Amino acid sequence: MKLSDNTILVTGGTGGFGIEFASKLIALGNTVIITGRNAQKLLEVKQQLPQVHTIQSDVSSAEDIVRLYEQVIRDFPALNILINNAGEMRKISLHHQHELTDITREIDINLIGPIRMVQQFLPHLKTKPHAAIMNVTSGIALMPFPISPVYSASKAGLRSYTQALRVQLKHTNIKVMELVAPGSSTPLNDKFVNEDGFNAGMLMAPDKIVDTAIKGMKNDRDEVYPGLAGVMRVLSRIAPNLLIAQSGKMGASFMYGK
Ligand SMILES: NC(=O)c1ccc[n+]([C@@H]2O[C@H](COP(=O)([O-])OP(=O)(O)OC[C@H]3O[C@@H](n4cnc5c(N)ncnc54)[C@H](OP(=O)(O)O)[C@@H]3O)[C@@H](O)[C@H]2O)c1
């Protein structure tokens, strides 16, 4: 698809991939709106990137999504691309007590959020001659990452939903894409740096991942697998148990409480 003169909404635009998407897509001549929960962070991105438009919105709140939709459609009626990027990843020991409303937080943000965003914006996107939805999943959608069990479930769920969405939108003007991102040096991973088995050298720079995603969008790819995500894709088919065993080595003392 042509990647200039679009109007693009990026959820979670104040973090690693989101800022990269915003700055690169603006540089290509697109109008970009970003969201996030934290007003201060939105202000800081606006100072860094004056052309970006910011809206405070929590993707895990249905009310916020409706408000976001009304504001975007009013102020940016040309909106034709939605990038569901907002996400959170926690390390969780299932041996500990968790509030039942809190334990599903990644599902609320990473899975229910994009499902609701798509449902809310779909009728509008259908009115555009060229439209796209990109869902940001993860290599972890291809295999569980045991130290982050709820995150793993959220990304596998989002991948499955994205594949179903693509089939349902086959006869529309809307291209459905999935960015299967590998581990990256963004704030999302900060909480893992001190875990046993963590290897910062395996992380790919977020700008490189977003460059690959944008190239994939330009080339109308359904799925984009930057860097190690491509390796995980192959291994998840030919040696899934090996992959799970390897990913289970990270944070063993946290998970088993030894
Ligand atoms: N980094 C990696 O290794 C990696 C690998 C594969 C996939 N991914 C995926 O890539 C996406 C971006 O991750 P990242 O690494 O760039 O993370 P990040 O640097 O932590 O940024 C996350 C962004 O999402 C926003 N966000 C979080 N919860 C939100 C909510 N409820 N509503 C709206 N915005 C929310 C954050 O802003 P606020 O906190 O202000 O709301 C921030 O802008 C996520 O979906 C993540 O799962 C990341």
Side-chain angles (χ1 to χ4, degrees):
M1 73 182 302
K2 187 166 77 79
L3 261 196
S4 57
D5 299 320
N6 299 289
T7 301
I8 306 173
L9 174 61
V10 183
T11 64
T14 59
F17 296 172
I19 296 178
E20 294 295 339
F21 268 120
S23 65
K24 288 176 191 292
L25 291 169
I26 287 171
L28 287 170
N30 300 286
T31 299
V32 177
I33 308 123
I34 62 164
T35 70
R37 293 165 299 186
N38 184 316
Q40 181 58 33
K41 281 204 262 174
L42 287 164
L43 200 64
E44 284 165 17
V45 177
K46 180 78 184 162
Q47 283 162 352
Q48 190 185 322
L49 206 58
Q51 285 163 281
V52 82
H53 302 276
T54 64
I55 301 177
Q56 187 178 13
S57 183
D58 180 345
V59 81
S60 68
S61 154
E63 294 76 23
D64 271 22
I65 290 178
V66 173
R67 268 198 298 272
L68 174 68
Y69 170 76
E70 285 165 357
Q71 188 174 347
V72 168
I73 296 315
R74 185 190 67 221
D75 298 343
F76 305 96
L79 179 85
N80 67 324
I81 299 180
L82 167 63
I83 302 183
N84 282 310
N85 167 73
E88 189 172 294
M89 178 180 188
R90 295 174 297 170
K91 52 181 190 178
I92 295 175
S93 166
L94 298 172
H95 298 285
H96 297 158
Q97 288 291 327
H98 298 279
E99 291 291 334
L100 295 184
T101 49
D102 184 63
I103 188 70
T104 55
R105 210 162 80 202
E106 287 95 331
I107 303 284
D108 300 337
I109 298 171
N110 306 351
L111 177 57
I112 296 176
I115 291 172
R116 286 178 169 156
M117 286 290 291
V118 167
Q119 212 54 41
Q120 186 66 52
F121 283 86
L122 195 55
H124 173 82
L125 294 177
K126 279 188 183 168
T127 67
K128 302 295 163 194
H130 302 288
I133 296 168
M134 174 181 268
N135 289 338
V136 180
T137 69
S138 167
I140 293 172
L142 309 172
M143 53 143 215
F145 185 47
I147 193 172
S148 295
V150 185
Y151 180 86
S152 302
S154 75
K155 291 297 180 182
L158 183 58
R159 176 169 169 78
S160 178
Y161 169 78
T162 305
Q163 290 168 339
L165 179 70
R166 184 175 301 117
V167 174
Q168 287 216 14
L169 299 190
K170 192 162 73 176
H171 302 298
T172 71
N173 52 320
I174 306 171
K175 175 88 190 157
V176 177
M177 300 187 55
E178 180 184 359
L179 169 58
V180 188
S184 179
S185 39
T186 72
L188 184 107
N189 276 313
D190 287 350
K191 58 189 82 66
F192 296 96
V193 289
N194 294 323
E195 287 302 332
D196 38 319
F198 182 84
N199 181 356
M202 303 275 276
L203 299 178
M204 188 172 177
D207 67 309
K208 298 276 180 297
I209 292 174
V210 171
D211 279 343
T212 309
I214 288 175
K215 196 169 154 205
M217 291 171 95
K218 283 181 175 164
N219 293 332
D220 283 329
R221 302 286 296 275
D222 287 347
E223 298 174 343
V224 182
Y225 296 85
L228 280 178
V231 178
M232 290 164 83
R233 182 189 190 193
V234 175
L235 284 179
S236 69
R237 287 179 181 164
I238 59 171
N241 291 337
L242 175 76
L243 206 54
I244 296 169
Q246 276 305 115
S247 70
K249 285 182 183 162
M250 184 158 133
S253 52
F254 172 78
M255 286 190 290
Y256 309 129
K258 286 181 187 160

